[in-house]
Amino acid sequence: MRVLGIETSCDETGIAIYDTEQGLLAHQLYSQVKLHADYGGVVPELASRDHVRKTLPLVKAALAQANLTAADIDGVAYTAGPGLVGALLVGSCIGRSLAYGWQVPAVAVHHMEGHLLAPMLEEDVPEFPFVALLVSGGHTQLVRVNGIGDYQLLGESIDDAAGEAFDKTAKLMGLDYPGGPRLAKLATQGRPQQYQFPRPMTDRPGLDFSFSGLKTFAANTIAASDGSEQALADIARAFQDAVVDTLLIKCRRALEQTQLKRLVVAGGVSANQHLREQLQQFAQRIGGKVYFPRGEFCTDNGAMIAFAGAQRLMAGEHADIAIKTFPRWPLEQLTAITR
């Protein structure tokens, strides 16, 4: 089965074609970073308009890349949530319309399930069950994964997500949008132990996260510093260490609680090199294994939506003719695939 995947949940337009026998055939991505840079963050209306302009040209480019025509597509998968409602509507309307016109089934895909399954696009595929850390600009969640669609939420952020805290702290430092990757780069120039940041919610039991206080601590530290380039680099280093240590502590607790040793890490923040190194070292110490998607599949992309959609289409799922989006959509509401 060849599935066209459409991702338009926020500020990236991602289109891909996945073949259940041959693997990924095409992958096209357009980032709106330059569009939103002047505003210091994503402007929802501008994001929606840009998805309107870019989605169909990218669909044509993906078909050309795979040397296919519309007649070769067996199904269409599109992100229906969670995300920005206007952006979701663009991809959902186009995806459902293409499926109707091509007379193939369509399926609505959960954005975070796409991220969760992204490591399965690699050669080394994790076996079920495992614990997943979904860490991005909009979500920080720990999930026990027993199978596709069989998810148990173990913990989540009660305020800012980790990626959101990275971006907001970077903005406080005067770094350009998108701030998270720029802060991580600045942190490589920072000296260790120059500042002591808290590890929020690690002094109590549980697997929930909270990063808003850490952002406030960073703001106060920046205000009290001399504002020099080295001071900002040291603060970036301390902030990143605090976030990574907090994620590591919670991952360790989740694995201990579930008595599992396989960890999947996905979402935009999973591209952070320091986080990868620390989690890989931790997995080696406990005799476990950690799985990451390749860098281009950490951020939003169409490949993960095409793959997740293919699994559900093969299980017989499909969307009806009504176009529905879900700006908020708990993972646990998904149905398990039993095939």
Side-chain angles (χ1 to χ4, degrees):
M1 172 178 275
R2 295 193 187 99
V3 177
L4 174 75
I6 300 174
E7 157 60 28
T8 64
S9 65
C10 190
D11 60 344
E12 270 115 9
T13 310
I15 307 295
I17 300 172
Y18 180 80
D19 188 303
T20 53
E21 295 183 0
Q22 301 178 57
L24 189 63
L25 302 181
H27 173 230
Q28 297 285 325
L29 183 68
Y30 175 80
S31 174
Q32 299 178 358
V33 165
K34 292 182 179 179
L35 176 66
H36 301 288
D38 290 342
Y39 304 95
V42 178
V43 181
E45 179 63 25
L46 295 181
S48 301
R49 292 179 184 182
D50 216 40
H51 287 310
V52 171
R53 286 190 289 265
K54 298 299 192 300
T55 301
L56 283 177
L58 288 177
V59 170
K60 293 178 181 178
L63 288 170
Q65 181 184 355
N67 196 26
L68 299 174
T69 68
D72 298 311
I73 300 299
D74 302 307
V76 177
Y78 56 88
T79 302
L84 302 175
V85 64
L88 291 170
L89 280 168
V90 175
S92 298
C93 289
I94 292 175
R96 194 63 194 84
S97 299
L98 288 176
Y100 183 82
W102 294 345
Q103 298 185 336
V104 297
V107 66
V109 174
H110 192 292
H111 178 74
M112 296 311 294
E113 181 172 60
H115 276 304
L116 189 154
L117 299 179
M120 295 185 178
L121 289 162
E122 309 302 328
E123 292 185 4
D124 189 10
V125 176
E127 295 182 3
F128 300 112
F130 56 78
V131 170
L133 171 66
L134 301 178
V135 57
S136 66
H139 298 82
T140 304
Q141 298 177 325
L142 280 165
V143 182
R144 179 188 170 108
V145 181
N146 298 311
I148 297 177
D150 187 356
Y151 308 129
Q152 177 189 356
L153 182 65
L154 303 174
E156 62 183 340
S157 179
I158 62 174
D159 43 53
D160 289 356
E164 184 179 5
F166 262 98
D167 287 340
K168 288 181 176 179
T169 301
K171 191 171 184 178
L172 292 170
M173 292 181 172
L175 301 177
D176 292 335
Y177 173 84
R182 297 180 189 278
L183 187 150
K185 183 177 180 180
L186 181 61
T188 63
Q189 304 169 30
R191 298 168 296 181
Q193 306 301 320
Q194 295 299 305
Y195 295 93
Q196 296 297 323
F197 276 52
R199 274 56 175 165
M201 294 186 72
T202 59
D203 59 348
R204 68 195 75 175
L207 295 173
D208 285 337
F209 302 89
S210 172
F211 292 108
S212 64
L214 194 61
K215 175 196 64 184
T216 302
F217 191 94
N220 293 335
T221 304
I222 294 167
S225 74
D226 62 12
S228 66
E229 185 174 338
Q230 186 59 60
L232 291 178
D234 293 340
I235 293 170
R237 170 71 180 266
F239 174 83
Q240 178 174 259
D241 286 347
V243 173
V244 169
D245 285 353
T246 300
L247 294 173
L248 177 58
I249 291 168
K250 298 289 182 160
C251 285
R252 184 185 69 230
R253 288 184 185 177
L255 291 173
E256 291 173 350
Q257 178 177 310
T258 58
Q259 297 184 323
L260 297 173
K261 290 192 175 183
R262 287 185 292 273
L263 176 68
V264 163
V265 185
V269 182
S270 68
N272 183 283
Q273 194 59 39
H274 184 53
L275 176 63
R276 288 188 173 225
E277 291 170 356
Q278 292 300 307
L279 287 176
Q280 286 169 339
Q281 292 173 15
F282 161 69
Q284 290 175 357
R285 289 198 300 271
I286 67 169
K289 191 167 183 178
V290 61
Y291 300 83
F292 299 93
R294 71 191 78 167
E296 63 184 324
F297 295 156
C298 290
T299 54
D300 296 349
N301 63 87
M304 67 183 192
I305 302 304
F307 177 84
Q311 311 312 306
R312 293 196 168 275
L313 285 168
M314 287 193 298
E317 286 191 24
H318 60 85
D320 58 28
I321 196 66
I323 297 170
K324 301 175 184 178
T325 58
F326 309 92
R328 297 183 183 275
W329 190 4
L331 263 174
E332 293 176 299
Q333 289 183 359
L334 297 180
T335 56
I337 293 177
T338 56
R339 60 176 175 80

